[in-house]
Amino acid sequence: MTKQDFYFDLPQELIAQDPLADRSSSRLLVLEKETGEVSHHVFRDIVDYLEPGDCLVLNDTKVIPARLIGAKEETGAKIEVLLLKRGGDNVWETLVKPGRKAKPGTRIQFGDGLLVGEVIDIVDEGNRLIRFEYEGIFEEILDELGQMPLPPYITHQLEDKNRYQTVYAKNVGSAAAPTAGLHFTPELLKQIEDKGVDIARVTLHVGLGTFRPVKVDDILEHHMHSEFYQIDEEAAEKINRAKQRNGRVICVGTTSCRTVESAADENGMLKACSGWTEIFIYPGYQFKVLDCLITNFHLPESTLIMLVSALAGREHVLAAYEEAIKERYRFFSFGDAMFIK
């Protein structure tokens, strides 16, 4: 199976640049995975597709404003730093642009010295380890100085940081939002619970590796970056209960899907756990937990469209995408949604 098998031609103007004023008013394409049949709706209609006894799985990770713009202490040259992974002792693994200006020993000032970083090492793929110095609470400084790390295909400035955050975001640690969850409002979640649907919250801190392009032709040679996940006892219990009573497990987003599939035993049962996952789901994969998926429209040749194709079949997915393009759906992070049932 090659990455070209997952290519489709997307007109540039269909890449959504801004979130809609009302989160739940985005469009919803419903895809029947067995037949490939599609129908068109508004996202808030999702309530009609959920049944009492189902379990809706949300990823409650919270995006950190991980993009920092600073200047080299020596020269004042502009440097952009993206925080990727937190280590101990105020050290972060980061992505630095331009990298050539960030040799070990380089000191970078942010916000007139409110935050200072020193490059202490160069690691995998040219990422830099930076030790930060500051007074006060790091998260508060980051909130003041940092910007949301929007994907490169979004060129507009984000007016409100919270619009790149789900309404249920809680556990800080992601470099990108689990964007399928951006369509939910508190009112919609209440309607879903009132209908008798269990809502389970799991955590997977989304790393930028999720969005790295597949560079090899043979997709089996692609290596996923590891991401930290956590499932507590309450979430495991709700998901297991749905399986045991023949309810459906409906994951919101590929990150929730990868979390439950990583943690499940061979019978599709979960227990409270945490760890790192590098799971790569592509056609041929047998799902152990997930029955249905709520997701956005993904990039051509990405690991995300491969995951969706594993659930609904490549031909069905590409035909549904063709229909979405014809109907002028909005694509990617701030775009419309799809329910695969």
Side-chain angles (χ1 to χ4, degrees):
M1 211 176 299
T2 68
K3 70 172 182 179
Q4 286 84 0
D5 291 333
F6 300 91
Y7 179 79
F8 62 93
D9 194 25
L10 180 70
Q12 195 73 15
E13 69 271 15
L14 295 186
I15 299 173
Q17 292 295 327
D18 303 289
L20 297 178
D22 170 13
R23 289 172 183 260
S24 64
S25 67
S26 48
R27 294 165 78 190
L28 177 70
L29 183 146
V30 175
L31 170 62
E32 166 55 67
K33 62 178 183 273
E34 302 304 333
T35 64
E37 190 185 325
V38 301
S39 55
H40 305 286
H41 310 268
V42 176
F43 188 79
R44 63 181 76 90
D45 296 342
I46 193 71
V47 180
D48 302 334
Y49 288 93
L50 304 176
E51 303 294 339
D54 287 344
C55 181
L56 189 70
V57 184
L58 310 176
N59 180 7
D60 68 3
T61 189
K62 192 168 191 177
V63 186
I64 55 174
R67 186 169 170 255
L68 290 162
I69 310 295
K72 276 178 79 167
E73 269 190 355
E74 296 162 23
T75 62
K78 183 182 159 187
I79 286 194
E80 183 179 319
V81 172
L82 192 60
L83 305 178
L84 298 178
K85 201 183 284 181
R86 190 177 211 149
D89 200 23
N90 293 324
V91 174
W92 282 78
E93 184 177 334
T94 69
L95 191 62
V96 178
K97 283 193 226 168
R100 65 180 186 283
K101 290 185 180 171
K103 297 182 171 70
T106 302
R107 288 176 63 81
I108 308 162
Q109 287 209 4
F110 307 92
D112 298 325
L114 192 59
L115 183 66
V116 178
E118 182 175 336
V119 180
I120 57 173
D121 202 1
I122 299 175
V123 290
D124 295 351
E125 298 185 5
N127 290 351
R128 267 57 176 174
L129 293 186
I130 295 182
R131 180 180 289 120
F132 288 99
E133 303 160 18
Y134 54 90
E135 281 181 22
I137 297 166
F138 185 75
E139 284 73 18
E140 288 179 3
I141 293 169
L142 199 56
D143 217 36
E144 189 180 328
L145 301 180
Q147 300 171 14
M148 282 300 186
L150 295 178
Y153 48 74
I154 293 176
T155 55
H156 291 191
Q157 275 293 111
L158 184 62
E159 299 292 313
D160 175 4
K161 275 184 189 176
N162 287 325
R163 292 311 309 272
Y164 192 58
Q165 209 76 273
T166 62
V167 297
Y168 47 80
K170 180 181 163 196
N171 292 315
V172 176
S174 272
T179 53
L182 296 177
H183 306 282
F184 287 91
T185 62
E187 297 75 22
L188 194 52
L189 289 167
K190 186 176 184 318
Q191 265 183 281
I192 288 166
E193 280 193 300
D194 288 348
K195 196 172 178 181
V197 175
D198 262 341
I199 295 181
R201 289 167 168 81
V202 301
T203 306
L204 181 133
H205 292 321
V206 189
L208 291 181
T210 301
F211 306 106
R212 281 221 168 99
V214 176
K215 290 180 177 162
V216 287
D217 283 334
D218 180 354
I219 67 166
L220 302 186
E221 291 172 15
H222 177 72
H223 177 66
M224 295 285 279
H225 285 64
S226 66
E227 294 166 314
F228 180 77
Y229 71 87
Q230 201 159 14
I231 298 175
D232 66 18
E233 214 162 293
E234 186 189 350
E237 217 169 87
K238 285 178 174 178
I239 294 164
N240 291 342
R241 191 163 61 226
K243 299 299 281 181
Q244 285 157 348
R245 64 188 180 195
N246 294 323
R248 298 170 303 167
V249 174
I250 298 155
C251 288
V252 175
T254 57
T255 61
S256 302
C257 164
R258 292 174 64 244
T259 303
V260 298
E261 292 296 320
S262 297
D265 66 20
E266 60 278 9
N267 302 313
M269 291 289 121
L270 296 170
K271 56 176 190 269
C273 60
S274 64
W276 294 83
T277 179
E278 296 176 357
I279 192 170
F280 178 20
I281 296 175
Y282 51 85
Y285 179 83
Q286 297 297 311
F287 288 89
K288 299 184 290 235
V289 184
L290 171 136
D291 297 296
C292 309
L293 181 67
I294 295 168
T295 187
N296 279 14
F297 291 92
H298 304 296
L299 276 78
E301 299 183 340
S302 64
T303 59
L304 306 176
I305 195 171
M306 292 170 194
L307 183 153
V308 170
S309 298
L311 181 63
R314 188 182 71 93
E315 290 79 7
H316 287 169
V317 168
L318 290 178
Y321 271 50
E322 203 176 303
E323 171 84 358
I325 290 166
K326 193 179 90 190
E327 295 293 329
R328 312 295 288 170
Y329 273 67
R330 299 159 73 249
F331 274 65
F332 307 160
S333 297
F334 288 140
D336 295 315
M338 179 190 246
F339 177 49
I340 300 175
K341 71 182 186 80

